[in-house]
Amino acid sequence: NAGVTQTPKFQVLKTGQSMTLQCAQDMNHNSMYWYRQDPGMGLRLIYYSASEGTTDKGEVPNGYNVSRLNKREFSLRLESAAPSQTSVYFCASRGAGVWKAFFGQGTRLTVV
Amino acid sequence: DQQVKQNSPSLSVQEGRISILNCDYTNSMFDYFLWYKKYPAEGPTFLISISSIKDKNEDGRFTVFLNKSAKHLSLHIVPSQPGDSAVYFCAASGSNDYKLSFGAGTTVTVRA
């Protein structure tokens, strides 16, 4: 089982460039999440999707957009990257009625 | 405003001794609590959880204690082993909430 797969693993962007981080899960989970991890800040929720067809803002949504393409896939888009978006991004998924979430390996993004 | 707080950024403990990690929360609607472990360059992995109807949950060397009146939980690791060196995140969720909120994390170093 692959679990939660994120692509790419590493990315360097120039300020103002755009990109999409991809996430797919093969556990038939309803809910999916995007977090960013920064030193001293822990994991902060950017956006989440409670179920296919719905998305909601988390704690730090500014500068990001998301798409829940289908039940398996949840993508995160940076329309105009800024140095403040340099971070490690994690995708996670959670099944209905289950409390624990499963995480992907992360995407390390650097914006220069 | 962070609703889950881990006020100790780091903890150093000798191999074989007990590690105690603390977590405080502010949202009284939280009723399910989880601990995650994270190694460098990997995604967080689930460690142990507790629901608000319990005050203790044990799994091998790991025990989580919940004090609802104080809005406080702790993770005990006994005995600590070198492989326990990692970042530990406390997380919380409410029954009617799809979001999972995380603390800033505590870096545990187990000394030989």
Side-chain angles (χ1 to χ4, degrees):
Chain A
N1 270 346
V4 180
T5 302
Q6 292 182 234
T7 55
K9 287 187 171 47
F10 302 95
Q11 183 71 49
V12 179
L13 287 179
K14 293 183 178 179
T15 297
Q17 285 185 319
S18 63
M19 81 159 294
T20 300
L21 281 65
Q22 307 286 354
C23 175
Q25 52 90 9
D26 62 1
M27 296 174 282
N28 201 36
H29 286 170
N30 289 335
S31 302
M32 297 186 73
Y33 306 83
W34 277 105
Y35 289 89
R36 59 178 287 174
Q37 185 194 6
D38 302 291
M41 306 293 288
L43 293 162
R44 292 184 293 170
L45 183 63
I46 305 170
Y47 271 92
Y48 67 102
S49 170
S51 61
E52 186 180 356
T54 69
T55 60
D56 285 286
K57 295 179 181 180
E59 303 169 61
V60 289
N62 291 345
Y64 305 95
N65 284 304
V66 290
S67 295
R68 184 73 184 266
L69 304 169
N70 46 56
K71 192 170 186 179
R72 288 187 65 247
E73 299 172 289
F74 189 38
S75 62
L76 179 72
R77 182 159 178 86
L78 287 71
E79 291 291 352
S80 179
S84 61
Q85 294 177 305
T86 292
S87 187
V88 182
Y89 292 84
F90 289 100
C91 177
S93 70
R94 191 163 81 167
V98 176
W99 293 105
K100 69 179 184 182
F102 294 82
F103 282 81
Q105 293 292 297
T107 295
R108 184 172 292 274
L109 176 67
T110 302
V111 183
V112 298
Chain B
D1 184 33
Q2 219 164 8
Q3 299 182 69
V4 179
K5 298 178 183 179
Q6 294 176 255
N7 293 320
S8 297
S10 62
L11 172 70
S12 181
V13 64
Q14 195 165 12
E15 183 178 2
R17 305 296 291 268
I18 185 171
S19 294
I20 300 177
L21 290 76
N22 294 303
C23 177
D24 297 293
Y25 62 96
T26 58
N27 189 339
S28 58
M29 300 302 290
F30 286 155
D31 56 11
Y32 204 83
F33 305 90
L34 307 91
W35 285 94
Y36 278 80
K37 180 178 181 179
K38 186 185 179 303
Y39 293 119
E42 295 185 9
T45 54
F46 171 77
L47 189 58
I48 191 169
S49 63
I50 189 167
S51 74
S52 59
I53 61 173
K54 294 185 174 183
D55 55 17
K56 177 182 173 181
N57 189 29
E58 193 171 353
D59 184 1
R61 297 185 298 113
F62 303 92
T63 303
V64 56
F65 296 92
L66 176 62
N67 183 333
K68 282 183 62 181
S69 60
K71 293 191 176 69
H72 176 83
L73 62 155
S74 61
L75 174 69
H76 293 206
I77 306 173
V78 185
S80 300
Q81 298 176 353
D84 297 331
S85 295
V87 179
Y88 291 79
F89 291 103
C90 174
S93 185
S95 299
N96 298 319
D97 191 354
Y98 290 99
K99 293 180 289 189
L100 192 56
S101 299
F102 283 82
T106 297
T107 300
V108 172
T109 303
V110 180
R111 309 184 310 271

